[in-house]
Structures are given as structure tokens and as C-alpha cells.
Amino acid sequence: MKEHKIHSGWKNSLHEVIYEADTPLGKFFDLVLVILIVLSVILVMLESVKEIDEHYHTVLLTLEWVVTIFFTLEYIARLISIKKPWKYVFSFYGIIDFVSTIPLYLSYILAGSQVLLAVRAFRLLRIFRILKLVKFMGEASQLKAALKASRAKIAVFIYVVLILSVIMGTIMYLIESDEAGFTSIPRSIYWTIVTLTTVGYGDIAPQTNIGQFLATIIMVLGYGIIAVPTGIVTVEFSRHKNGDKAKSVVHTNTQACPSCTAEGHRDDATNCYKCGELL
Amino acid sequence: MKEHKIHSGWKNSLHEVIYEADTPLGKFFDLVLVILIVLSVILVMLESVKEIDEHYHTVLLTLEWVVTIFFTLEYIARLISIKKPWKYVFSFYGIIDFVSTIPLYLSYILAGSQVLLAVRAFRLLRIFRILKLVKFMGEASQLKAALKASRAKIAVFIYVVLILSVIMGTIMYLIESDEAGFTSIPRSIYWTIVTLTTVGYGDIAPQTNIGQFLATIIMVLGYGIIAVPTGIVTVEFSRHKNGDKAKSVVHTNTQACPSCTAEGHRDDATNCYKCGELL
Amino acid sequence: MKEHKIHSGWKNSLHEVIYEADTPLGKFFDLVLVILIVLSVILVMLESVKEIDEHYHTVLLTLEWVVTIFFTLEYIARLISIKKPWKYVFSFYGIIDFVSTIPLYLSYILAGSQVLLAVRAFRLLRIFRILKLVKFMGEASQLKAALKASRAKIAVFIYVVLILSVIMGTIMYLIESDEAGFTSIPRSIYWTIVTLTTVGYGDIAPQTNIGQFLATIIMVLGYGIIAVPTGIVTVEFSRHKNGDKAKSVVHTNTQACPSCTAEGHRDDATNCYKCGELL
Amino acid sequence: MKEHKIHSGWKNSLHEVIYEADTPLGKFFDLVLVILIVLSVILVMLESVKEIDEHYHTVLLTLEWVVTIFFTLEYIARLISIKKPWKYVFSFYGIIDFVSTIPLYLSYILAGSQVLLAVRAFRLLRIFRILKLVKFMGEASQLKAALKASRAKIAVFIYVVLILSVIMGTIMYLIESDEAGFTSIPRSIYWTIVTLTTVGYGDIAPQTNIGQFLATIIMVLGYGIIAVPTGIVTVEFSRHKNGDKAKSVVHTNTQACPSCTAEGHRDDATNCYKCGELL
């Protein structure tokens, strides 16, 4: 980056502000971005509430323009300050940024394009990236590693749950009548998953005795098998917490070295690990 | 298998294709089978949706014939390529394969035989078997071992939950009136399980103050006792994860060898494991 | 017991049959008792279902008499074969046995005494005791020990949940109107517990925006704090499983002693722990 | 405290009774306070039940006066027996004590001030403080430490759940119509959280096929991700249970000492802990 300073100094400065967060200006840009992303999502929410949209339409539209213009400028700045603009354009965040920006412009051409505003919710994910700055990121990556390690087991678990749902749903469809809401097998499977996950809306509920008996079994099954993913994830967390094989656990004491005052010696240590002095 | 190659070579080839997956043809057969099983289950689902069945009846029936013919051929092939056909016929998968195949033929003789199509959902279990090829199987067997080890504890747990449900359900039946939906003891027990497993449909709900108070206790109980199976399974997973067969767990004591002072002898040790001195 | 054999041999025999299970007759008695307890509970259930009671009233009444007479004889036999009858009469099981037996007799004197039949559900607990014979009892006592050890922590947890429910319930009562079902503070607290435990009947549900926002917080809280009892119980299970401090875990291998063929030596063993022979 | 005994002996005695619990009078005061706090909360509850308030208005009002007068005296006593009264007045408990006391007085001046009575529920928290006396406090502090340690991970988890809710809620708003209850994005998000936490009221439920399909995914997600906080808290509990302060965990490597071949040195060790040789 440093070598190109002479011929494109302002592009580098822009890149530093937008993509990095080490300079005060970079941090300020990130802060403004986070605020505007949150604001833009709240705006989309408020516009969807009919009463609020009727009363404060002008205010909301003005704020929408402010957000849109900022997002437009940000998108252009991201394009010109990066070396491979196409890579950004077709990246996950590039597409989300683009779709989050255009709806207001499109609304003058196409009716119903406001629907695209919903994509803005995905911009919230960028906040997660910006938060890389803070210490939470370490915790997040630990969570991610544990979940990644238990991926295969969780896949097996979900597969078993889905097959169970299909089988149980089909049986319930045969047992229960249309009146109870079991109008088709897909709907019965929907009900089975509602029951198995202990959500239980109650919009569809078995009416016959045999149906209620089977429902009882599904409930107890669902209540019990939640233990499986929990067990998997807990064991993985435990492993990621306690360290990998190379880093084993030894017991240390609070004794300080008389020579160099280093602490945390092994219980069976006879010499200081820092200076070699006898303990 | 190799010895019978001469007099029944094609049977062996067929057996290899159908029952094994080492040859390219065997893998291809498994792939086609998985696709057709999934397709057949989706077909049964779509036929149960009235609107879809009305509009696309011919398409669905044609596809149903394709699936049925493939399943018929597969069933016959399985029969002739195996040495003990009867063993397959009366096996779990044999029965499911048979019942999954016949409904379409039966529908010309018997009305309502379409009901048997529901059995097809069980064929999805075969996919699980075919997936033996992939690495997920190891994970599945680990899950299975952990669940098997906690079987007795889970049985005790389910028994306690059921007794609790019967007692609580009977009490709720006495407290609540028919209007609230507690029309009989079995229905009250159904409601108790719905509540205890935190499903909570709301089709039956207590109306009286004392009933709601008791319901509260059942909920907190149900909310709390989920911890029990989770704890059991987690501990078992942890054991199956950490301990491989070669390194088994034995009980040791703090007795020191009189000769070499080595510690950590097995409880049943008579000699020191370091110097061989009698303990 | 053996010393009194001469002057009251038949009482001892009766005692052995009823209270013990070592003799074939004792085992047979236990089996009959279990069957009749289950039957008596099913009878009470069926009688509560109006349609069944109407059609099969005579059959049910006859069976009810069979059960009642057996229970009466059992109660008398228990009384005369024990040394301190009053201790049995006023014990937990003594009272349940008595109340389970009398309703049918009382029904000729008092109307509505059938309500006492509900107490029979508690007799199911005796099955648990009879099952002491089978291996499940060890598992049950392990479960019990783990739960007992986490008693204090669970009490703190439930206390926090209850205070949270009272505070949240009171706030929801102030926010939500009567129309949404929040007619009084106790009912609001009932709703809060329904929500916090993720049961969610839906008979009472917030209607205002602020109420729904607060409900959201209660849900996420309830969803999260389930982790606490689960964590407590899991850690306790893990401790009760892994043993106490004196018995520590060491790694052993499958190597057999060349001299005495003893197996399960420590990985770092140089001598056999049985005979002291060099490995 | 002891030095000021002469010139303000009665203030010290009062302080001891109110703020401490070592003397019999102090214990008695705490007991009376706990009873009156519980009574005052029950009073507020009962007053909110219309039928009870109509029938027992005089009794409730009398008891309300008893509680109010006690609370007034307690508040004054707390003020005069403490050295820095303002610190108490503006403390958490000071404000709650004040607001719990005044509603009855205010009700003669301001209509609707009874609403403030709801604040009394917070006084229940003081019971927690008084219970400091009993052994539960140790358990509570252990729970608190474990939760504090997993704070950052739980924050990341809740953040992910919230973003997921916003994204899913927005998508469901676009898919489902107003008739099903998805009238605005905030309401859709409310529904998503109701589903994700497996509460499932059923006041809002998807009607379209695609909506039900997406709902299914949300349910399975919600059912699965409960494993994450559970895993986090369990691992933390396990650490707080097993590890006392003296034996801390340090990372060691497999490097062997060049002089004495001892292994298991700390990652930051420069000298062997056995012989003191430079590593």
C-alpha cells in the first residue's frame, strides 16, 4: 500500500478511512456507518407500520433520502478506493450494499420496488464486522470454532429430526381429519415440526384421541431430543475452552521466584522458568 | 462371494451393484435410488395437497408409475441377487420396500389403498444407510453410542415424567371444569404433557385461579426438568468423546510404593507398577 | 425375623410375600400388584370419559370391584403381617393405599366420593418402589444424588425466576389493558410464567406495541435462563459420574502381564501391579 | 462505629437493628420486614383482582395502612440511623423504599397514583439481600460468577439472535399478508422472536405455504441454537466448580529441557522448571 502513495495518495487515504479503523477518521467513519445502518433499518420498520407512515410520511421520506445519499456516496467511495472494484461489486457485502441503496431511486421508475428495502436488514451483519474492533470478536470466533467442529453431528441430528417429522407428519395426516387443520401431508409435517420443537402455536391441534396420543409421543420426543444438540455443543465448547492437545493443563501455584519475581510456576517445579534460579 | 463367480456371475454383479457401493455402477445405483426415494416421498406429499392434485393429476400419476416400476424392478433384483431371499422379505427394510411398491397396483383392486403410500416415508431411512459411504456415519454411531449408554437413565426420567403427568392431569381434571377443555382424565393428561414439555398449544387452558396456579407449577417443573436429560446426554457425550478404547478408566488410590514411593496404583494392585515391590 | 418363626410362621410368610421379592411367590405378588395398580389407574381414566362410561358402565364397575377387593385384601394383609401396623397406616404409602381402596365403599354412603379415586394415580409411585428389583434403581439413585447436590443452586434459580415473574407480571398489568387478558396482577404473573418457560398458550397475549416489546424481552430471558439449571445439573452429573477425589483417573493400556496375564496396566508402568513381574 | 457510642448510642443501636442481623433484635426486624414485604406484594396483587377488591375493600385498605405505616417508620429509621442519608435516599433500594411507601398518601392528592404500588414488587429483591444470612448466598455468588464469565459470549449470542430475528421478521413480513397478523415489520419481528424462542403463542401464525416453510426453518434454528447458551454456561459452571484459585490453568508446550529433558514448560518459560537450564 505504501509504495503507491505518490501517484494515488487520496485513494489510499480514502481506503484507509473506509476499509480500516486504525486512524481517528477511520473510527469516526465506522461509527457514522453503524448509526446510519441502524437508522436505515429502523426507517424500513417504521414505514411498514401504517399509522406511523401516515402521520410522519414526510419526515420518514426525508430521512430515507439522507440515508440513501450517504449509502450512495459510501458505495461510490468503496468502488474507487479499492484496487479490484469488480471483486467488491460481486461480493456478498457488495451486493447487499448495492441493493440497500437503490430502492429509493427505483421507486420513481418501478412500483413496489420498496420491497428491496428489506435487504437492508442484512446490512446489520456489517456491524458485526465493524465490531471486529472490540474484544467480542474473540468470543465470536470461539463460538464459531465450536459450532464448526460439531457441524457433522448437528447435520446428522437435523437429518434424523427431519425424517422423523416426515414420518410422524404422514401418520398424523392419516389419523387426523381436515377439520383439525391437517389438510395435507406438508401441513401435517409443518404441525409436527411446530410440536417437535416445542413451539406449539395451536393453530393446528389434534382432535381425535389417537391423534392426541401420538402428539404426546412427539412432544416427549421433541422435549427429550433437544438434549442431543445441547450435549454436542457443550462438549465441543468444553474442548475449545480447555485448549488443544499441544497446550495441556498443568497445575501452577502462586509462588514467586526469589530472583526475578516471576509467578505461575508448576507445582513440581524446582527452578524458575524465567531465570533458572532455584525456587 | 468370489467362489460362486462362475455359475452365477451376473447375480454377483447385480448383488455388487445393489448391495455394495465400491464400484462406479454401485455408486450410480445408490444415487438413483436416493433421488427416486426422495422423489417418491415428495410425490406422496404433493398428492395430498388437493389443489395440486387437481391441476397436475396426470403428471403426478405418470411420475408415480415411474417410481413404482423402478421400485418393483429394484425389489425383484434384490430378491434374486441375494442368497436367502426370505430373510430380506421379512426384514425391516424388506417389508418397507414391499409396502412402498404395491399401493399403485392395489389401487386398481382396493379403494383407499393409497393410504399405504405413507409407508414410503420410512424409505427415507434407507438414505441414512446409503450415506454410510460418507463420513457422517462415524458421527452418527458416536451419537448412538452415547444415547445407548444413557438409555437406562433416560428410561427412569421418562417414567418419572409420565407418572407426574398422570398425577397432575388427574388433579387438573378435578379442579378445572369441562368448559376449559378438561373433559376427561386422558385429555387432562394430554394437556399436562403439552404443558410439561413447554409445547403449549392453548387449545386447552386452565380458567380457574387454582388451575392456573397449578399450571404455573407444572410449567416451572417442565422448564426445569429438561435439564435432566440434557445433563445425562452431555455427560455421556463427554465420556465418548474423551475416552477412546485403548485408554480406559481405572480407579487408583493414593497408596505409595514402600520401595520406590511411586503413587497412583490401581485399587486392585498387589505390586508396584514401577519397581514390582509388593504393596 | 427368623427367631419368631415358630409362633407366627404364617405372618412371616405373608410378610415375605408382600414386603419382599426374593421368593417366587413374592415376585408373583409384586407382578399382580403392578398389573392391578396400572389397571386401577386405567379404570379411573376410562370412567372419566363420558362416552366410554355410558357404554361400558357395567364392565367398568365389575372391574372396579375386582380391584377394590384385591386392594382391600392387600391392605388388611399388610396390616396384620407387619409388626408396627400404625406406622404403616400413617406412612405416605399407607395413606395412599387406604384412600385408593375406600372410594367404592364410600360411594354408597356419600355422593361425589369418587373424587378420591384420583388419589390412585399416586399408587403408580409404588411401581417405582417395586422396580427396585431391576437395575434401573441404581440409575435413579444417581439421578437423585445429582439433583440433591444441586438443590441449593436450583432453589436460588427458582427464587430469581419467581421474583422476575412478579416484577414483569406487575409491569405487564400496568401496560396491557383488560381486553388482552391481563385482568389482574396474578393473571399477569401467570402469563409471565407461561411466557418465561416458553410454554406460550396464547390465551393471553399482549396487544400493545410496548407490551409486545416487553414480551420479547421476557421471551429472550426465558429462552436464555434455561441454560442455568441445565448447566448446574450437567456439572453435578459429571461429578457424580467421574467419582470422588480419592479415585482419580489414569490412562491404562491393553497390555497383558507376561507372567500373570493381568490387564489394565498404567501407561507408564514398568512392572505388573499384580505379580510385580517386569512388563 | 464503637467510638461514637457515647454521644449517639441510640442511633447506633437502631443502625444495628436495621442494617445488621447479628443481634436477636436485628434478626427479628429482618423477619418482620420480610413478612411485611411479602404481605405488601400480596396486597397489591389482591387489590388488582376486581372481585376480591369489591368484597374485602375495607380489610385490604386497613392492611395497606398497616404496611404503609411500617414502611414509613422503617424509611425514617433508615434515614436517621445512617451517617450519609443522601447516599441511601438516591441508592437503588432507597428509591424503591420511598416509592413503595408513598402511593397511599398520594392517593388522597392524586388520582391513579396507585400505579406506583407496582414498584413494591422490586422490594422482593431486598429479601434476597436479607437471605444473605443463609447459606444460599454462596451458591448465588457462584452462579453470578459463572454468568459474569460467560457475559461476552452471551452478548454475542443475543446479538446474533436479534439480527436473525430482524432479517427473518422482514422476510416473513414480505411473504405473509396482513390477514395472518403480519401487519408490520416490528410485529413480524415480534412473531419471529415468539417462534425462535419456541414460545409460540399462535396469535400470529403463517398461513401461506412458503411462510409455513420459512417458519419451519426458524423453529428448527430456534430449537437448535438454545444449545449455544446452554453450552457456554455449562462450561463456565464446570470451570468455577472444578478450579479453585490456587490452581490456575497455564498453557504449556511439548518442548523438552536440553539439560534434564523435563517436559511441560510454560509457553513463556525461558528456563527449565526442574534444573534451571536455559531453554
Side-chain angles (χ1 to χ4, degrees):
Chain A
M1 209 46 78
K2 300 275 162 185
E3 300 94 301
H4 302 79
K5 229 176 193 163
I6 304 147
H7 70 274
S8 61
W10 65 274
K11 275 195 186 178
N12 274 326
S13 304
L14 199 64
H15 187 274
E16 243 170 62
V17 168
I18 294 176
Y19 288 92
E20 285 160 50
D22 302 327
T23 57
L25 216 66
K27 277 178 189 166
F28 178 73
F29 173 79
D30 279 350
L31 191 71
V32 172
L33 187 57
V34 166
I35 291 167
L36 278 167
I37 288 174
V38 172
L39 178 69
S40 74
V41 172
I42 292 172
L43 273 177
V44 175
M45 282 189 196
L46 292 180
E47 282 162 27
S48 77
V49 185
K50 272 136 212 101
E51 305 90 63
I52 293 175
D53 193 41
E54 275 168 23
H55 284 77
Y56 305 99
H57 189 74
T58 330
V59 181
L60 291 174
L61 193 69
T62 313
L63 284 168
E64 189 66 59
W65 269 113
V66 170
V67 168
T68 299
I69 287 165
F70 179 87
F71 281 5
T72 311
L73 293 176
E74 184 215 344
Y75 189 76
I76 294 166
R78 274 185 196 274
L79 275 184
I80 56 175
S81 72
I82 207 167
K83 277 184 195 144
K84 294 176 185 163
W86 291 114
K87 217 179 157 186
Y88 164 68
V89 168
F90 293 111
S91 72
F92 177 67
Y93 282 112
I95 293 164
I96 287 171
D97 288 355
F98 182 73
V99 183
S100 303
T101 311
I102 50 160
L104 201 58
Y105 302 123
L106 274 181
S107 67
Y108 291 94
I109 313 167
L110 277 155
S113 65
Q114 303 276 21
V115 158
L116 288 170
L117 282 171
V119 175
R120 272 207 197 141
F122 284 97
R123 286 212 91 185
L124 287 170
L125 289 171
R126 195 181 273 280
I127 296 180
F128 209 59
R129 235 195 174 180
I130 294 166
L131 282 175
K132 197 183 291 179
L133 321 162
V134 295
K135 60 157 180 158
F136 290 121
M137 220 53 203
E139 305 287 352
S141 74
Q142 216 175 78
L143 286 178
K144 234 166 97 180
L147 289 175
K148 211 167 177 178
S150 36
R151 209 174 22 176
K153 272 206 204 65
I154 287 174
V156 170
F157 171 72
I158 287 176
Y159 182 70
V160 171
V161 166
L162 286 184
I163 285 197
L164 206 71
S165 302
V166 171
I167 293 173
M168 288 298 200
T170 309
I171 296 171
M172 285 303 286
Y173 170 71
L174 296 175
I175 291 171
E176 285 289 330
S177 59
D178 279 13
E179 285 83 49
F182 296 82
T183 50
S184 67
I185 292 180
R187 195 143 295 202
S188 288
I189 293 170
Y190 164 72
W191 171 86
T192 309
I193 293 176
V194 168
T195 301
L196 205 63
T197 56
T198 76
V199 171
Y201 287 132
D203 53 344
I204 309 171
Q207 303 296 332
T208 63
N209 289 323
I210 184 112
Q212 291 189 340
F213 180 73
L214 200 70
T216 298
I217 293 170
I218 297 172
M219 279 167 220
V220 174
L221 266 174
Y223 185 62
I225 56 181
I226 183 67
V228 176
T230 306
I232 296 167
V233 173
T234 303
V235 171
E236 282 306 327
F237 271 137
S238 173
R239 290 224 299 180
H240 282 261
K241 196 86 192 180
N242 293 331
D244 44 314
K245 286 147 226 151
K247 291 178 175 180
S248 62
V249 169
V250 294
H251 286 156
T252 61
N253 50 44
T254 53
Q255 192 186 3
C257 171
S259 167
C260 72
T261 73
E263 282 186 358
H265 301 288
R266 286 176 59 131
D267 275 347
D268 55 340
T270 53
N271 291 67
C272 176
Y273 68 91
K274 276 281 189 214
C275 64
E277 192 73 31
L278 271 168
L279 290 175
Chain B
M1 209 47 76
K2 300 273 161 184
E3 300 93 303
H4 302 82
K5 231 177 189 165
I6 303 148
H7 69 273
S8 61
W10 65 273
K11 274 197 187 178
N12 275 327
S13 304
L14 199 62
H15 187 275
E16 243 171 61
V17 168
I18 294 176
Y19 288 92
E20 285 159 50
D22 301 326
T23 57
L25 216 66
K27 276 179 190 166
F28 177 73
F29 173 79
D30 279 349
L31 191 71
V32 172
L33 186 57
V34 166
I35 291 167
L36 277 168
I37 289 175
V38 172
L39 179 68
S40 74
V41 172
I42 291 171
L43 273 177
V44 174
M45 282 191 198
L46 292 180
E47 282 162 27
S48 78
V49 185
K50 271 133 213 105
E51 306 88 64
I52 293 174
D53 193 40
E54 275 167 24
H55 284 78
Y56 305 100
H57 189 74
T58 330
V59 181
L60 291 175
L61 193 69
T62 313
L63 284 168
E64 189 66 59
W65 268 114
V66 171
V67 168
T68 299
I69 288 165
F70 180 88
F71 281 4
T72 311
L73 293 176
E74 184 214 344
Y75 189 76
I76 294 166
R78 275 185 195 275
L79 275 184
I80 56 175
S81 72
I82 209 167
K83 279 186 193 140
K84 295 176 183 164
W86 291 113
K87 217 178 155 186
Y88 165 69
V89 168
F90 294 110
S91 71
F92 177 67
Y93 283 112
I95 293 164
I96 287 172
D97 288 355
F98 183 72
V99 183
S100 303
T101 311
I102 50 160
L104 202 57
Y105 302 123
L106 274 180
S107 66
Y108 292 93
I109 314 167
L110 276 155
S113 66
Q114 302 275 20
V115 158
L116 288 170
L117 281 170
V119 176
R120 269 201 199 149
F122 284 97
R123 286 212 92 183
L124 287 170
L125 288 172
R126 194 181 273 278
I127 296 179
F128 209 60
R129 236 196 173 178
I130 295 167
L131 282 175
K132 198 185 290 179
L133 321 163
V134 295
K135 60 158 179 158
F136 290 121
M137 220 52 201
E139 305 286 351
S141 74
Q142 218 176 75
L143 285 180
K144 233 166 99 180
L147 288 176
K148 212 168 178 177
S150 36
R151 208 173 23 173
K153 274 205 204 63
I154 286 174
V156 170
F157 172 73
I158 287 175
Y159 181 69
V160 171
V161 166
L162 286 184
I163 285 196
L164 207 71
S165 302
V166 172
I167 293 174
M168 289 297 201
T170 310
I171 295 173
M172 285 302 287
Y173 170 70
L174 295 175
I175 290 171
E176 286 289 331
S177 59
D178 280 15
E179 284 83 51
F182 295 82
T183 50
S184 67
I185 292 180
R187 194 142 296 202
S188 288
I189 293 170
Y190 164 71
W191 171 86
T192 309
I193 293 176
V194 168
T195 301
L196 206 63
T197 55
T198 75
V199 171
Y201 287 132
D203 53 344
I204 309 172
Q207 303 295 332
T208 64
N209 290 322
I210 185 109
Q212 292 190 339
F213 179 74
L214 200 71
T216 297
I217 292 170
I218 297 172
M219 280 168 219
V220 173
L221 266 174
Y223 185 61
I225 56 180
I226 184 68
V228 176
T230 307
I232 296 167
V233 173
T234 303
V235 170
E236 282 306 328
F237 271 137
S238 173
R239 290 223 300 178
H240 282 261
K241 195 89 192 179
N242 296 328
D244 45 314
K245 284 148 227 152
K247 290 179 174 178
S248 62
V249 169
V250 294
H251 288 155
T252 60
N253 51 43
T254 53
Q255 194 186 3
C257 172
S259 167
C260 72
T261 73
E263 283 186 356
H265 301 288
R266 288 176 57 131
D267 274 346
D268 54 341
T270 54
N271 291 67
C272 176
Y273 68 93
K274 276 280 190 215
C275 64
E277 192 71 32
L278 271 168
L279 291 174
Chain C
M1 208 48 74
K2 301 271 161 185
E3 299 94 304
H4 302 81
K5 231 175 189 165
I6 304 147
H7 70 274
S8 61
W10 66 272
K11 275 196 187 177
N12 275 326
S13 304
L14 199 62
H15 187 274
E16 242 171 61
V17 168
I18 294 176
Y19 288 92
E20 285 160 50
D22 303 326
T23 57
L25 215 65
K27 277 180 189 163
F28 178 73
F29 174 80
D30 279 349
L31 191 71
V32 172
L33 187 57
V34 166
I35 290 167
L36 277 167
I37 288 176
V38 172
L39 178 68
S40 74
V41 172
I42 291 171
L43 273 178
V44 174
M45 282 189 197
L46 292 180
E47 282 162 27
S48 77
V49 185
K50 271 133 213 104
E51 306 88 64
I52 294 173
D53 193 41
E54 275 167 23
H55 284 77
Y56 305 99
H57 188 75
T58 330
V59 180
L60 291 176
L61 192 70
T62 313
L63 284 168
E64 189 67 57
W65 269 113
V66 170
V67 167
T68 299
I69 286 164
F70 180 87
F71 281 4
T72 310
L73 293 175
E74 184 214 346
Y75 189 76
I76 294 166
R78 275 184 195 276
L79 274 185
I80 56 175
S81 72
I82 208 167
K83 277 181 195 148
K84 295 176 184 165
W86 291 114
K87 218 179 154 184
Y88 165 68
V89 169
F90 294 110
S91 71
F92 177 68
Y93 283 112
I95 293 164
I96 287 171
D97 288 356
F98 183 73
V99 183
S100 304
T101 311
I102 51 160
L104 202 57
Y105 302 123
L106 274 181
S107 66
Y108 292 93
I109 314 169
L110 276 155
S113 65
Q114 303 274 21
V115 158
L116 288 170
L117 281 170
V119 175
R120 269 203 199 145
F122 284 96
R123 286 212 93 184
L124 288 170
L125 289 172
R126 194 182 275 279
I127 296 179
F128 209 60
R129 236 195 172 180
I130 294 167
L131 282 175
K132 197 184 293 181
L133 321 162
V134 296
K135 59 158 180 160
F136 290 121
M137 218 53 201
E139 305 287 352
S141 74
Q142 215 175 78
L143 285 179
K144 233 167 97 181
L147 289 176
K148 212 169 177 176
S150 37
R151 208 176 22 175
K153 272 205 206 62
I154 286 173
V156 170
F157 171 74
I158 288 175
Y159 181 70
V160 171
V161 166
L162 286 184
I163 285 197
L164 206 71
S165 302
V166 171
I167 293 174
M168 289 298 202
T170 310
I171 296 172
M172 285 303 286
Y173 170 70
L174 295 176
I175 291 170
E176 286 288 331
S177 59
D178 279 14
E179 285 83 51
F182 295 81
T183 51
S184 67
I185 292 180
R187 194 142 295 202
S188 288
I189 293 170
Y190 164 72
W191 170 86
T192 308
I193 293 176
V194 167
T195 302
L196 205 63
T197 55
T198 76
V199 171
Y201 287 131
D203 54 344
I204 309 172
Q207 303 296 332
T208 63
N209 289 323
I210 184 112
Q212 291 190 339
F213 179 73
L214 200 69
T216 297
I217 293 171
I218 297 172
M219 280 167 218
V220 173
L221 266 174
Y223 185 61
I225 57 181
I226 184 68
V228 176
T230 307
I232 296 167
V233 173
T234 304
V235 170
E236 282 306 327
F237 271 138
S238 174
R239 290 224 300 180
H240 282 262
K241 196 88 193 180
N242 292 331
D244 45 312
K245 286 145 226 155
K247 290 178 173 179
S248 62
V249 168
V250 295
H251 287 155
T252 60
N253 52 43
T254 53
Q255 193 186 3
C257 171
S259 167
C260 71
T261 72
E263 282 186 359
H265 301 288
R266 285 176 58 130
D267 275 346
D268 55 341
T270 53
N271 291 69
C272 176
Y273 69 92
K274 277 278 190 218
C275 63
E277 193 72 34
L278 271 169
L279 292 174
Chain D
M1 211 43 76
K2 301 274 162 183
E3 301 94 301
H4 302 81
K5 229 174 191 166
I6 303 147
H7 70 273
S8 60
W10 65 273
K11 275 196 186 176
N12 274 326
S13 304
L14 199 64
H15 187 275
E16 244 171 61
V17 168
I18 294 176
Y19 288 93
E20 285 159 50
D22 302 325
T23 57
L25 216 66
K27 277 179 190 164
F28 178 74
F29 173 80
D30 279 349
L31 191 72
V32 172
L33 187 58
V34 166
I35 291 167
L36 278 167
I37 288 175
V38 172
L39 178 68
S40 74
V41 172
I42 291 171
L43 273 177
V44 174
M45 282 188 196
L46 293 180
E47 283 162 27
S48 78
V49 185
K50 272 134 212 101
E51 306 88 64
I52 294 175
D53 192 41
E54 275 167 23
H55 284 76
Y56 304 99
H57 188 74
T58 329
V59 181
L60 291 174
L61 193 69
T62 313
L63 284 168
E64 189 66 59
W65 268 114
V66 171
V67 168
T68 299
I69 287 165
F70 180 87
F71 281 5
T72 310
L73 292 176
E74 184 215 345
Y75 190 75
I76 294 167
R78 276 184 195 274
L79 275 184
I80 56 174
S81 72
I82 208 167
K83 279 186 192 141
K84 294 176 184 164
W86 291 115
K87 219 178 154 184
Y88 165 68
V89 169
F90 294 111
S91 71
F92 177 67
Y93 283 112
I95 293 164
I96 286 170
D97 289 355
F98 183 73
V99 184
S100 304
T101 312
I102 51 160
L104 202 57
Y105 301 124
L106 275 179
S107 66
Y108 291 94
I109 314 168
L110 276 155
S113 64
Q114 302 276 21
V115 158
L116 288 170
L117 281 170
V119 175
R120 271 204 198 143
F122 284 97
R123 286 213 90 183
L124 288 170
L125 288 172
R126 195 182 274 279
I127 296 179
F128 210 60
R129 236 194 173 180
I130 294 166
L131 282 175
K132 197 183 292 178
L133 321 162
V134 296
K135 61 158 180 158
F136 290 121
M137 219 53 202
E139 305 286 353
S141 74
Q142 216 175 79
L143 285 179
K144 234 166 97 180
L147 289 176
K148 211 168 176 178
S150 37
R151 209 175 22 175
K153 272 205 204 64
I154 287 173
V156 169
F157 171 73
I158 287 175
Y159 181 70
V160 171
V161 166
L162 286 184
I163 285 197
L164 207 71
S165 303
V166 171
I167 293 174
M168 288 298 201
T170 309
I171 295 171
M172 285 303 286
Y173 170 70
L174 296 176
I175 291 170
E176 285 289 332
S177 59
D178 279 14
E179 285 83 50
F182 295 82
T183 51
S184 67
I185 291 179
R187 193 142 295 203
S188 288
I189 293 170
Y190 164 72
W191 171 86
T192 308
I193 293 176
V194 167
T195 301
L196 206 63
T197 56
T198 76
V199 171
Y201 287 131
D203 52 344
I204 309 172
Q207 303 296 332
T208 64
N209 289 323
I210 183 111
Q212 291 190 341
F213 180 72
L214 199 70
T216 298
I217 293 171
I218 297 172
M219 279 168 221
V220 173
L221 265 175
Y223 185 61
I225 57 180
I226 184 67
V228 176
T230 307
I232 296 167
V233 172
T234 304
V235 170
E236 282 306 327
F237 271 137
S238 174
R239 290 224 299 179
H240 282 261
K241 197 89 191 178
N242 295 330
D244 45 313
K245 284 145 227 155
K247 289 180 173 176
S248 62
V249 168
V250 294
H251 287 153
T252 60
N253 52 43
T254 53
Q255 192 185 4
C257 172
S259 167
C260 72
T261 72
E263 283 186 357
H265 302 289
R266 287 174 56 131
D267 275 348
D268 54 339
T270 53
N271 291 69
C272 175
Y273 69 93
K274 277 277 190 218
C275 65
E277 193 71 33
L278 271 169
L279 292 174

